[in-house]
């Protein structure tokens, strides 16, 4: 199971969240293991059933207001309800002040307490996004990922088949490279696949016979993206006599990456074929389908209607003759 210490969260997001350490130590008894966040107000009010102790606890105006509404004795009881659980850490938003006894309990239980000036809801959104990236299931694949008309196309195929050349041609036509050769893919919430480049390779691309080029330096910042949702896999396959390739598009092939199913388009390769334009059409066709129109199904429906109509006319003509 993936996990990170609270100290890593503090160091990596200290500047972005403007963290201030309120507790004496960042050495938590339990590490951070999930990206979900919890608000402990209900537990402090007395309902502790199903308390999600494995999550980071975020204390905002609601929780501080609840404590302030209690008498001194009831306030201590409310804090005891929270600190009976061993949580990874507590983050106080809007730089709100917490009672000294709150910090005393946190130090006794070795629960780090951090403070941020951010408002509660934006902070939770940004923290969740950060943790989602940390805990996302990831894999590395050989291919090229290009943003074509806003659609993430992953080009796959054997080494040397021309994936990098297609990516270069698409960039020259105004599209954007995400990664070449080594593509890191992560699965986020809601079964979304996000592809990015290898940190070392960046947006360099190898063109056989030319060598390594830096696309950002050659084409400018407009030619690259740091990450992109992966939506369609385009598999490049050498043309083989007698091999069946999709003709109508009614079959609807798909592939599964990290448990997420996405469309798969297999394109036969032979000299003189303009794969770049075909790639643009694949992206546009995906967008059209996303808006509910499938050209293959529509044509199939029209042909079926014509055949049905002709069949009825033949039956009527036969009945007239009889």
């Amino acid at each position: 199971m993936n996990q990170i210490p609270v100290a890593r969260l503090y160091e990596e997001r200290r500047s972005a969240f403007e963290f201030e350490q309120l507790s004496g130590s960042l050495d938590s008894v339990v590490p951070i293991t999930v990206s979900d966040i919890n608000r402990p107000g209900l537990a402090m009010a007395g309902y502790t059933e199903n308390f999600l102790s494995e999550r980071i606890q975020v204390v905002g105006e609601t929780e501080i207001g609840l404590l302030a509404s209690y008498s001194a004795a009831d306030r201590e009881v409310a804090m005891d309800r929270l600190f009976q659980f061993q949580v990874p850490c507590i983050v106080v938003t809007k730089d709100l002040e917490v009672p000294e006894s709150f910090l005393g309990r946190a130090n006794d239980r070795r629960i780090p307490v951090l403070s941020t000036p951010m408002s509660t809801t934006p902070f939770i959104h940004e923290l969740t996004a950060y943790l989602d990236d940390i805990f996302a299931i990831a894999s590395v694949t050989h291919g090229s990922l290009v943003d074509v008309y806003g659609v993430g196309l992953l080009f796959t195929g054997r080494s040397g088949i021309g994936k990098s050349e297609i990516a270069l041609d698409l960039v020259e036509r105004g599209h954007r490279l995400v990664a070449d050769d080594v593509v890191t893919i992560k699965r986020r919430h809601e079964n979304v696949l996000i592809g990015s480049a290898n940190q070392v390779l960046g947006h360099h691309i190898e063109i056989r016979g030319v060598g390594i080029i830096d696309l950002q330096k050659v084409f400018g910042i407009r030619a690259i993206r740091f990450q992109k949702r992966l939506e369609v896999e385009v598999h490049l396959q050498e043309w083989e006599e007698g091999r069946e390739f999709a003709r109508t598009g009614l079959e609807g092939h798909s592939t599964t990456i990290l448990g997420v199913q996405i469309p798969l388009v297999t394109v036969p390769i032979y000299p003189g074929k303009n794969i770049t334009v075909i790639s643009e059409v694949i992206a546009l066709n995906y967008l059209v389908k996303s808006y509910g129109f499938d050209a293959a199904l529509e044509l199939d429906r029209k042909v079926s209607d014509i055949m049905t109509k002709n069949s009825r006319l033949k039956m009527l003509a036969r009945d007239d003759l009889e």
Side-chain angles (χ1 to χ4, degrees):
M1 180 174 62
N2 291 335
Q3 60 184 38
I4 64 169
V6 176
R8 176 179 170 183
L9 167 65
Y10 178 75
E11 291 298 329
E12 291 187 356
R13 305 306 294 171
R14 182 178 182 178
S15 176
F17 294 152
E18 300 181 55
F19 275 146
E20 179 183 349
Q21 182 180 334
L22 301 182
S23 57
S25 172
L26 294 175
D27 184 20
S28 178
V29 173
V30 294
I32 302 168
T33 57
V34 296
S35 61
D36 297 306
I37 308 301
N38 190 56
R39 300 287 297 274
L42 201 57
M44 291 191 294
Y47 184 76
T48 57
E49 294 296 324
N50 302 318
F51 182 76
L52 302 169
S53 60
E54 73 279 5
R55 300 183 181 185
I56 294 175
Q57 307 297 312
V58 175
V59 173
E61 284 184 320
T62 301
E63 291 76 16
I64 297 300
L66 176 67
L67 291 176
S69 70
Y70 289 145
S71 65
D74 289 341
R75 188 179 304 121
E76 298 301 315
V77 172
M79 289 187 288
D80 285 337
R81 293 190 187 112
L82 170 60
F83 284 101
Q84 68 178 296
F85 300 100
Q86 195 68 50
V87 300
C89 72
I90 299 172
V91 181
V92 182
T93 58
K94 292 189 174 181
D95 281 337
L96 296 168
E97 292 187 11
V98 294
E100 285 297 325
S101 54
F102 186 98
L103 296 178
R105 284 175 171 80
N107 287 325
D108 291 342
R109 298 280 288 168
R110 287 177 56 193
I111 299 176
V113 180
L114 305 175
S115 177
T116 175
M118 293 181 64
S119 296
T120 306
T121 300
F123 171 73
I124 289 176
H125 289 164
E126 292 194 26
L127 178 59
T128 301
Y130 164 76
L131 294 175
D132 276 345
D133 187 65
I134 294 291
F135 295 123
I137 301 173
S139 71
V140 176
T141 190
H142 176 66
S144 297
L145 179 59
V146 185
D147 176 359
V148 181
Y149 296 127
V151 179
L153 299 185
L154 175 66
F155 294 91
T156 60
R158 68 163 179 81
S159 180
I161 199 169
K163 300 183 294 295
S164 297
E165 287 78 1
I166 294 171
L168 177 63
D169 202 12
L170 285 167
V171 168
E172 197 276 332
R173 291 172 65 92
H175 305 291
R176 295 187 286 177
L177 177 76
V178 181
D180 182 62
D181 195 37
V182 179
V183 183
T184 300
I185 303 172
K186 292 184 177 182
R187 190 184 78 186
R188 300 284 179 81
H189 277 322
E190 301 178 356
N191 292 329
V192 173
L193 298 176
I194 301 294
S196 59
N198 176 276
Q199 290 185 352
V200 176
L201 294 179
H203 293 93
H204 290 82
I205 189 169
E206 177 192 354
I207 302 299
R208 301 193 180 202
V210 177
I212 304 293
I213 61 173
D214 186 333
L215 252 66
Q216 182 178 347
K217 293 292 192 299
V218 174
F219 292 96
I221 194 67
R222 69 170 182 82
I224 65 168
R225 282 195 65 157
F226 291 105
Q227 62 179 19
K228 178 70 181 77
R229 180 174 180 176
L230 195 164
E231 289 152 300
V232 181
E233 178 179 341
V234 180
H235 184 70
L236 307 177
Q237 178 73 49
E238 290 97 339
W239 169 264
E240 295 179 21
E241 189 69 33
R243 176 167 180 164
E244 289 293 327
F245 291 93
R247 299 288 298 275
T248 63
L250 290 171
E251 299 84 356
H253 297 292
S254 63
T255 186
T256 300
I257 300 175
L258 296 176
V260 179
Q261 193 174 69
I262 62 172
L264 170 66
V265 180
T266 301
V267 179
I269 300 292
Y270 52 81
K273 192 166 187 176
N274 194 331
I275 305 301
T276 304
V277 173
I278 292 174
S279 299
E280 291 179 327
V281 171
I282 290 172
L284 292 172
N285 193 46
Y286 173 82
L287 289 174
V288 169
K289 286 184 177 180
S290 298
Y291 282 96
F293 178 81
D294 190 316
L297 290 177
E298 182 67 16
L299 180 60
D300 184 63
R301 183 189 64 78
K302 289 181 179 179
V303 171
S304 296
D305 289 346
I306 292 173
M307 293 179 65
T308 301
K309 183 178 181 180
N310 289 339
S311 177
R312 288 175 180 172
L313 291 174
K314 288 180 181 179
M315 291 177 62
L316 291 172
R318 187 169 56 249
D319 291 341
D320 290 341
L321 291 174
E322 293 175 354

